Amino acid sequence: MSYHGNGPIVLGIETSCDETAAAVVDAFTEVKSNIIATQHDLHRVYAGVVPEIASREHLQRILPVIRESLTEAGVTLSQLDAIAVTNRPGLIGSLLVGVSAAKALAWSLEIPVIGVDHIVAHLYAGLLDEKPVDFPAIGLVVSGGHSSIFHLQSSIDCELLGKTIDDAVGEAYDKTATILGLGYPGGPALDKLAQQGDDSAHDLPIAQLGRDSLDFSFSGLKTAMLYAVRGQPQKQGNSHVFMRSADDLTPQQIADFAASFQRAAATALLRKLKTALDRYDVSTLLVGGGVSANSRLRNELTELADKRNLDLRLPEMQYCMDNAAMIAGLASEKFKANAFDDWTLTASPRMQPTVTGRIEA
Ligand code: KG4
Ligand code: ZN
């Protein structure tokens, strides 16, 4: 392997959901470029990601996005040491576009390909462009597809401690935003509105799932919001219909619902996180995923870290959402550990925990 002096130059590719992204990360995980083409406009009308549309769009965009990432980084293909790609978990058709592109590029350049777990990579986002952290650490991933807690021995060696048993927290944000008429994906809009609302206006349910469990559940919270906003459905002929909608609420009432939801969601996350921190002796807290951009969650995590004297690594805003810099960054750790893949690398819709819950990043 050539190290170009200080470490590998890695091109990362991310196509697991509805963002086509490519990034170049240098030695010491300094981000040289971070290009993201989102498809939100295409999926908005369906209020969710349509897998077939997503994979077709990735095909159209992947090469221009890779080219742009190299140009912006000022790096040529021949200078790359490895190609990293998200190969799990995600939408299988979308993942396959990235994995095929990565393998073809790596094969033609005669450099290694490195498959990366998208969820574990979210925890690397707070380490990009930053000084290294101490391990072991506790990690919290909060995104549109996942809500998970990990215990990490290193960036690439982690154990899944708990996860959502139904909706992810970002999904609950997006569905609640739709109920409140805020558009899709509504997490950022709901966050903004919540800042003008009274968070004690509504008492919404926070799932416990047993005192020892580190799992989350957000579907009850979402359903409670649905009934609180629209009322109980009434029988009309053979079906049940809602008699109210967000259109019947005043702007202040909508803001109060948003604030109350946000309080419940943050409380649910913080409770389980505190349980994990009580159970494991760590000095570092890693957080990642789209919902780590949330203002209330960021404040509460910062307070918690101050109180417990933890080195909290919250990603910069540009690295909260799906991006390829976190993929290339985590891959450069795998590169240093000689953890390469071969040409049998393929995509999987699921994470790959072993029986002990240990995850290969
Ligand atoms: O990590 P991400 O980009 O994609 C997945 O891997 O799922 O996360 C997207 C999710 C969406 O549900 C979006 O509504 C949510 O992150 N999100 C937020 C905020 N910004 C993005 N949720 C709450 N508050 C925010 N400020
Ligand atoms: Zn993600």
Side-chain angles (χ1 to χ4, degrees):
M1 297 304 147
S2 60
Y3 270 84
H4 298 281
N6 296 319
I9 298 179
V10 179
L11 170 72
I13 297 172
E14 156 62 43
T15 61
S16 66
C17 192
D18 59 343
E19 262 95 25
T20 317
V24 176
V25 168
D26 196 350
F28 308 116
T29 59
E30 187 187 323
V31 181
K32 296 287 183 198
S33 65
N34 184 35
I35 307 300
I36 304 171
T38 97
Q39 304 177 6
H40 289 169
D41 288 350
L42 296 170
H43 301 280
R44 185 163 288 128
V45 59
Y46 306 101
V49 177
V50 182
E52 286 76 12
I53 295 177
S55 43
R56 244 178 284 140
E57 282 305 309
H58 286 309
L59 264 181
Q60 302 277 348
R61 296 171 187 206
I62 185 84
L63 290 180
V65 165
I66 289 174
R67 258 185 231 117
E68 197 180 336
S69 74
L70 292 167
T71 307
E72 195 175 302
V75 165
T76 61
L77 282 173
S78 63
Q79 288 175 296
L80 296 174
D81 294 298
I83 311 283
V85 63
T86 305
N87 73 314
R88 62 174 185 261
L91 301 171
I92 190 70
S94 294
L95 287 165
L96 281 168
V97 175
V99 170
S100 309
K103 281 166 69 174
L105 256 180
W107 188 78
S108 67
L109 296 168
E110 298 181 28
I111 57 176
V113 65
I114 302 173
V116 169
D117 186 293
H118 178 89
I119 305 176
V120 181
H122 266 305
L123 294 175
Y124 203 83
L127 305 182
L128 294 165
D129 294 331
E130 296 285 341
K131 62 179 182 1
V133 279
D134 290 333
F135 286 93
I138 288 291
L140 173 71
V141 178
V142 280
S143 74
H146 301 273
S147 311
S148 312
I149 300 185
F150 295 92
H151 181 242
L152 297 99
Q153 296 291 353
S154 76
S155 293
I156 60 172
D157 179 2
C158 58
E159 187 182 350
L160 181 65
L161 303 179
K163 60 181 179 3
T164 181
I165 60 164
D166 40 53
D167 292 355
V169 62
E171 197 179 345
Y173 258 97
D174 292 339
K175 287 179 176 162
T176 297
T178 303
I179 293 166
L180 292 175
L182 303 178
Y184 172 87
L190 198 157
D191 183 9
K192 209 163 152 210
L193 203 60
Q195 291 162 33
Q196 293 145 36
D198 171 7
D199 69 1
S200 63
H202 303 277
D203 209 7
L204 297 163
I206 297 165
Q208 279 291 356
L209 304 174
R211 212 151 21 107
D212 289 340
S213 170
L214 290 175
D215 285 339
F216 299 105
S217 166
F218 289 102
S219 72
L221 173 58
K222 171 200 70 187
T223 308
M225 279 296 295
L226 179 69
Y227 290 140
V229 173
R230 296 202 183 152
Q232 288 293 328
Q234 306 289 314
K235 198 162 170 28
Q236 267 192 8
N238 286 333
S239 55
H240 285 79
V241 290
F242 288 109
M243 306 308 282
R244 298 201 307 260
S245 79
D247 293 343
D248 301 313
L249 300 173
T250 64
Q252 188 57 50
Q253 284 172 322
I254 294 180
D256 290 347
F257 272 119
S260 302
F261 170 85
Q262 181 137 289
R263 175 172 63 89
T267 306
L269 294 169
L270 266 284
R271 270 192 198 159
K272 298 290 177 172
L273 186 57
K274 284 178 190 162
T275 307
L277 289 166
D278 289 341
R279 218 171 275 176
Y280 292 87
D281 185 21
V282 299
S283 57
T284 300
L285 176 56
L286 305 175
V287 182
V291 184
S292 64
N294 184 263
S295 60
R296 179 167 189 143
L297 187 61
R298 288 177 89 90
N299 289 340
E300 293 199 12
L301 288 167
T302 305
E303 263 174 42
L304 175 73
D306 282 351
K307 228 180 259 169
R308 296 196 180 213
N309 204 16
L310 294 165
D311 182 3
L312 169 66
R313 299 301 181 97
L314 278 171
E316 275 178 39
M317 286 300 182
Q318 58 170 331
Y319 303 137
C320 286
M321 68 187 293
D322 286 352
N323 67 84
M326 66 186 194
I327 305 302
L330 184 56
S332 62
E333 299 295 338
K334 293 185 84 171
F335 189 106
K336 289 171 201 163
N338 279 317
F340 301 111
D341 284 284
D342 61 27
W343 305 120
T344 63
L345 176 73
T346 190
S348 165
R350 278 179 277 280
M351 290 191 92
Q352 277 188 343
T354 63
V355 273
T356 63
R358 254 194 149 64
I359 307 267
E360 201 194 295

